[in-house]
């Protein structure tokens, strides 16, 4: 009797051991698979040709490449890439492996900010002939759709709201190139372009400062410099230290990568639609140089992690943030010069 009892206990113990080993094995396979899927999802989308993209879109819809077609088609392609790249849209993921990834969600945010800025410019400037003219009905819906909460998982999901915005952008594009739809317009004027470039200048300036703060800097307060009678709400210290926390260095870096990826395509499209304006202002070369600086930000990152060399950037290790800040600062200086050229008669 005792032997039977011992035998049954031994069998139960062995069965439990097999179950535990099976669970451990299954979990190991899952985690390994999630690791490889996560690596694939963390790959950034390649650049695309804005002219080929516009031509393909026009051919598929039997449309002519009118003024503004390339820019609008590029906005649609960038927005579609945001949602349909490897891993799809990851910012609002709540399940593995998406919830473990943080670089691509910050890349997505950089792209999204540029999409929001340009669609706002299309709604309030590019599609209107003057300040008192009415806004385009499709852009009036598309622009706020892209301003929906970027982290909403459900009820409603972020992707669904952005898809509605893309549909309205497509509707605008089809009307823009239809001879029977004269109300849909894209006005390629120097003043319109300068307004949007002002937003670009502000965004790049902020990113450059945040990237440079990866090593920490002591800065003087220049908030009111240049105007003796200027004032502000509350007093600030005359000197302060700016430093990006080490846990956020890669976040800012990939946000900058997404920003420059989107902006690089938008400026290439602007070169097509504003070609006459830029040629008249002798500004084509200036724009192309800005694009080159932005293209340099998309070089392959060979390091498995974003390095933050110490000692003000002259340490033993590289500082990827300062390299990125250098390209962005040069691009931003080019944007400032381009705006000055566009303001000249």
């Amino acid at each position: 009797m005792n032997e039977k009892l011992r035998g049954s206990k031994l069998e139960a113990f062995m069965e439990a051991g097999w179950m535990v080993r099976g669970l451990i094995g299954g979990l190991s396979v899952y985690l390994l698979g999630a690791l490889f899927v996560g690596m694939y999802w963390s790959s950034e989308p390649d650049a695309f040709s804005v002219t080929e993209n516009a031509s393909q879109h026009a051919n598929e819809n039997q449309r002519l490449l009118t003024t503004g077609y390339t820019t609008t088609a590029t906005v649609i392609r960038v927005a579609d890439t945001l949602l349909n790249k490897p891993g799809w849209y990851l910012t609002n993921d709540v399940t593995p492996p998406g919830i473990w990834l943080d670089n691509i969600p910050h890349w997505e945010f950089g792209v999204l900010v540029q999409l929001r800025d340009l669609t706002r410019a299309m709604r309030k400037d590019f599609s209107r002939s003057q300040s008192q003219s009415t806004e385009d009905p499709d852009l009036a819906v598309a622009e706020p759709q892209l301003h929906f909460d970027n982290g909403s998982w459900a009820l409603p999901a972020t992707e669904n709201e952005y898809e509605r915005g893309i549909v309205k952008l497509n509707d605008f594009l089809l009307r823009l190139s239809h001879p029977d739809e004269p109300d849909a317009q894209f006005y390629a004027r120097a003043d319109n372009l300068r307004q949007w470039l002002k937003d670009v200048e502000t965004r790049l300036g902020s990113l450059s400062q945040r990237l440079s703060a990866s090593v920490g800097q002591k800065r003087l307060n220049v908030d009111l410099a240049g105007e003796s009678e200027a004032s502000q709400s509350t007093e600030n210290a005359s000197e302060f230290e700016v430093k990006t926390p080490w846990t956020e260095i890669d976040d800012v870096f990939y946000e900058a990568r997404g920003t420059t990826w989107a902006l690089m395509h938008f400026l290439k499209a602007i070169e097509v639609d504003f070609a006459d304006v830029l040629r008249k202002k002798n500004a084509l070369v200036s724009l192309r140089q800005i694009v080159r600086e932005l293209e340099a930000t998309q070089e392959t990152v060979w390091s498995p992690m974003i390095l933050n060399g110490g000692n003000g950037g002259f340490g033993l290790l590289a500082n990827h943030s300062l390299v990125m800040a250098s390209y962005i600062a040069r691009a931003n200086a080019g944007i400032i010069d381009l705006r000055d050229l566009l303001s000249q008669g």
Side-chain angles (χ1 to χ4, degrees):
M1 189 71 179
N2 291 337
E3 291 181 358
K4 289 183 178 180
L5 183 60
R6 284 196 295 269
S8 62
K9 287 183 177 180
L10 180 61
E11 289 177 2
F13 179 78
M14 292 180 65
E15 288 179 2
W18 279 109
M19 290 178 61
V20 171
R21 283 194 287 272
L23 287 173
I24 293 175
L27 181 61
S28 299
V29 171
Y30 171 76
L31 291 175
L32 186 62
L35 174 65
F36 283 107
V37 171
M39 292 173 62
Y40 173 63
W41 285 4
S42 294
S43 58
E44 300 169 48
D46 294 330
F48 61 90
S49 169
V50 299
T51 52
E52 291 179 6
N53 174 67
S55 297
Q56 180 181 355
H57 194 286
N59 291 335
E60 289 175 355
N61 294 279
Q62 298 181 342
R63 290 290 194 268
L64 297 175
L65 289 173
T66 55
T67 299
Y69 200 102
T70 301
T71 298
T72 308
T74 301
V75 170
I76 294 170
R77 174 69 177 270
V78 169
D80 185 71
T81 301
L82 181 69
L83 300 183
N84 297 300
K85 65 185 183 320
W88 301 279
Y89 184 73
L90 296 177
T91 299
N92 62 349
D93 267 19
V94 294
T95 58
I99 196 173
W100 299 333
L101 307 176
D102 68 338
N103 290 341
I104 288 298
H106 285 91
W107 182 93
E108 291 173 347
F109 183 71
V111 173
L112 181 59
V113 168
Q114 290 302 310
L115 276 170
R116 288 171 171 175
D117 285 350
L118 185 49
T119 52
R120 183 173 62 249
M122 290 171 63
R123 178 186 179 182
K124 72 182 185 70
D125 293 318
F126 293 161
S127 63
R128 302 172 65 190
S129 60
Q130 53 188 345
S131 61
Q132 300 302 313
S133 59
T134 57
E135 60 186 7
D136 186 89
D138 287 327
L139 295 178
V141 176
E143 188 249 341
Q145 287 296 130
L146 291 175
H147 278 80
F148 182 77
D149 178 15
N150 67 315
S152 178
W153 175 62
L155 301 176
T158 298
E159 295 94 321
N160 294 338
E161 298 303 301
Y162 291 172
E163 284 284 3
R164 292 190 184 98
I166 294 173
V167 168
K168 285 299 180 180
L169 285 169
N170 267 301
D171 291 344
F172 171 72
L173 183 57
L174 293 177
R175 292 170 50 236
L176 186 66
S177 53
H178 198 290
D180 296 331
E181 293 282 354
D183 291 339
Q185 295 290 341
F186 188 103
Y187 297 100
R189 298 197 312 254
D191 59 333
N192 287 344
L193 183 54
R194 287 185 71 249
Q195 288 282 7
W196 173 64
L197 289 175
K198 178 61 178 176
D199 290 337
V200 173
E201 177 188 329
T202 303
R203 298 292 188 189
L204 293 185
S206 176
L207 271 177
S208 178
Q209 291 292 329
R210 291 166 62 199
L211 288 163
S212 299
S214 63
V215 295
Q217 292 179 329
K218 285 189 176 182
R219 296 179 183 170
L220 297 175
N221 189 333
V222 295
D223 293 345
L224 302 180
E227 188 172 346
S228 59
E229 299 300 323
S231 61
Q232 62 187 68
S233 301
T234 55
E235 291 291 332
N236 285 339
S238 59
E239 185 176 334
F240 55 93
E241 184 174 6
V242 179
K243 184 173 176 60
T244 303
W246 69 270
T247 54
E248 299 177 9
I249 288 172
D250 60 333
D251 299 343
V252 178
F253 180 86
Y254 278 98
E255 181 185 337
R257 290 268 287 192
T259 295
T260 51
W261 182 86
L263 185 56
M264 172 182 69
H265 290 95
F266 293 159
L267 288 174
K268 288 180 178 180
I270 289 296
E271 179 182 346
V272 175
D273 287 324
F274 287 80
D276 292 339
V277 173
L278 293 168
R279 195 174 293 111
K280 179 182 177 182
K281 303 290 185 178
N282 199 23
L284 274 173
V285 176
S286 299
L287 178 66
R288 289 168 182 168
Q289 182 58 39
I290 296 168
V291 171
R292 286 200 176 185
E293 299 293 352
L294 296 175
E295 287 174 337
T297 67
Q298 302 302 304
E299 293 292 329
T300 303
V301 180
W302 296 105
S303 172
M305 62 182 295
I306 301 304
L307 299 178
N308 183 38
N311 299 326
F314 294 104
L316 293 175
L317 299 177
N319 189 306
H320 293 122
S321 297
L322 290 185
V323 174
M324 178 69 76
S326 174
Y327 289 129
I328 289 179
R330 291 205 297 269
N332 199 28
I335 292 287
I336 295 171
D337 291 342
L338 179 58
R339 289 186 69 245
D340 287 341
L341 284 175
L342 292 172
S343 66
Q344 296 173 10

